[in-house]
């Protein structure tokens, strides 16, 4: 809900599109910085605490924005959103991969159930915002408070311990973890492009606002489907899913701009890239966590999430820089090819 309500509040209060972009970028930067330190935090507190803290910060963020749209309160609301998202995703994903069973299947369930809120929340926020922005933010506050209740029912798994035989060097450089991190970066870059230059390309191709909305929804739905499809993969199919996800997400996005003016072709390319990205956002963290000691799983999730957040933040900026010297089609094509390169890092 907040992903729609906060930008609309800023625009209706008189802030420019550039101001909203800067606030959104600050939120993404806060999420990225928070993820970097959460591995160490989970050696002191249980992962369930992060989920409860995320609900509290989400509620506080929406409440602050509902009370005042002045610059400092609004900036604080955006920053709290970023930190809350980092805590929620790291805490929830870490919690489920610590249970017996497949990491891929557990992460797929979390991603699928969360998609219900990701699809319904913006619609509800838009409907309520037509009556009052404060009403939309108040309801979002209430939803966040309610979200804290299930966190109190989670198993109180203990904080992580530092393994006595921990290998030297940074965690993200280890085989398996590195693969998962770069796969997560591809998924994050895909999400960043979908939220920025995909609508720009469709608008430039003279697609209607309704068509643009439908096509973006096709990509989002395909991403959810991609998470579901890989839920039961195991053994060598984990690596194969990772390779297929990278190639679909990257190469389909590279081909998107030339076909943006043709509705069905645009839907096919966005659907294929969404399938790949959905597989990556599930399999990538699973590969990273399965490659480390059980006591390092929280840190692996946090590191993979930091790569995803960095790409989510950086990919649109990279395309923005590229289109100053090249057409959008060329910039997106190069970016799409780069998104597919982590397929080369999958261990045999």
């Amino acid at each position: 809900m907040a992903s729609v309500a906060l930008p609309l509040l800023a625009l209706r209060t008189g802030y420019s599109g550039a101001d909203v972009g800067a606030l959104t970028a600050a939120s993404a930067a806060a999420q990225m910085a928070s993820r970097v330190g959460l591995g160490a935090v989970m050696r002191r507190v249980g992962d369930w605490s992060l989920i409860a803290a995320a609900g509290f910060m989400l509620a506080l963020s929406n409440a602050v924005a509902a009370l005042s749209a002045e610059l400092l309160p609004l900036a604080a609301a955006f920053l709290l959103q970023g930190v809350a998202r980092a805590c929620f995703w790291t805490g929830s994903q870490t919690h489920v991969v610590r249970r017996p069973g497949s990491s891929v299947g557990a992460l797929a369930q979390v991603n699928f159930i969360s998609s219900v809120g990701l699809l319904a929340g913006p619609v509800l926020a838009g409907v309520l915002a037509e009556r009052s922005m404060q009403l939309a933010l108040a309801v979002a506050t209430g939803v966040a408070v309610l979200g804290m209740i299930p966190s109190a029912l989670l198993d109180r798994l203990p904080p992580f311990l530092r393994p006595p035989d921990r290998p030297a060097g940074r965690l993200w450089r280890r085989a398996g973890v590195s693969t998962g991190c770069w796969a997560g970066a591809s998924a994050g870059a895909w999400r960043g492009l979908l939220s920025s230059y995909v609508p720009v390309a469709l608008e430039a191709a003279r697609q209607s606002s309704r068509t643009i909305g439908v096509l973006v929804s096709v990509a989002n739905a395909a991403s959810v489907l991609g998470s579901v499809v890989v839920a039961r993969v195991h053994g060598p199919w984990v690596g194969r899913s990772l390779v297929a996800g990278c190639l679909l997400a990257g190469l389909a996005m590279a081909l998107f701009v030339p076909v943006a003016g043709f509705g069905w072709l645009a839907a096919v390319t966005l659907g294929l890239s969404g399938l790949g990205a959905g597989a990556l956002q599930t399999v990538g963290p699973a590969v990273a966590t399965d490659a480390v000691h059980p006591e390092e799983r929280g840190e692996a999730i946090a590191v993979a999430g930091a790569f995803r957040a960095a790409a989510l933040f950086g990919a649109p900026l990279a395309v923005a820089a590229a289109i100053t010297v090249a057409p959008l089609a060329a910039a997106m094509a190069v970016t799409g090819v780069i998104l597919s390169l982590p397929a080369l890092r999958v261990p045999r």
Side-chain angles (χ1 to χ4, degrees), residues 73-86:
L74 191 61
F78 272 90
L79 291 174
L80 281 169
Q81 288 283 329
V83 178
R85 287 169 181 157

Side-chain angles (χ1 to χ4, degrees), residues 234-330:
H234 60 278
W237 284 101
V238 174
R240 293 166 188 166
S241 298
L242 206 57
V243 171
C246 290
L247 295 177
L248 282 175
L251 298 183
M253 187 61 78
L255 297 172
F256 166 69
V257 175
V259 302
F262 306 94
W264 284 108
L265 288 175
V268 169
T269 54
L270 288 177
L272 289 174
S273 68
L275 279 173
L280 288 179
Q281 72 180 17
T282 298
V283 179
V287 168
T289 57
D290 288 344
V292 299
H293 188 282
E295 293 295 330
E296 295 177 307
R297 287 189 163 190
E299 187 177 354
I301 288 285
V303 169
F307 270 70
R308 185 184 189 280
L312 179 67
F313 176 70
L317 294 181
V319 174
I323 59 177
T324 62
V325 296
L328 178 60

Side-chain angles (χ1 to χ4, degrees), residues 10-37:
L11 291 171
R12 293 182 183 181
T13 306
Y15 294 95
S16 67
D19 294 333
V20 174
L23 289 169
T24 304
S27 179
Q31 179 181 170
M32 180 173 59
S34 300
R35 284 183 183 264
V36 171

Side-chain angles (χ1 to χ4, degrees), residues 124-144:
L124 178 59
V127 171
L128 294 175
E130 291 183 354
R131 296 184 59 186
S132 166
M133 288 304 311
Q134 282 66 34
L135 175 60
L137 288 165
V139 172
T141 301
V143 171

Side-chain angles (χ1 to χ4, degrees), residues 155-219:
D155 293 336
R156 297 296 199 270
L157 301 177
F160 289 100
L161 300 175
R162 187 179 181 86
D165 55 347
R166 180 185 172 101
R170 295 187 180 276
L171 186 71
W172 70 269
R173 291 182 176 177
R174 294 188 206 170
V177 180
S178 175
T179 301
C181 288
W182 287 113
S186 286
W190 177 86
R191 177 61 61 183
L193 294 177
L194 182 68
S195 303
S196 56
Y197 285 100
V198 165
V200 170
L202 291 170
E203 177 71 22
R206 301 194 177 187
Q207 297 284 7
S208 67
S209 297
R210 178 177 296 180
T211 301
I212 292 173
V214 169
L215 290 172
V216 172
S217 294
V218 166

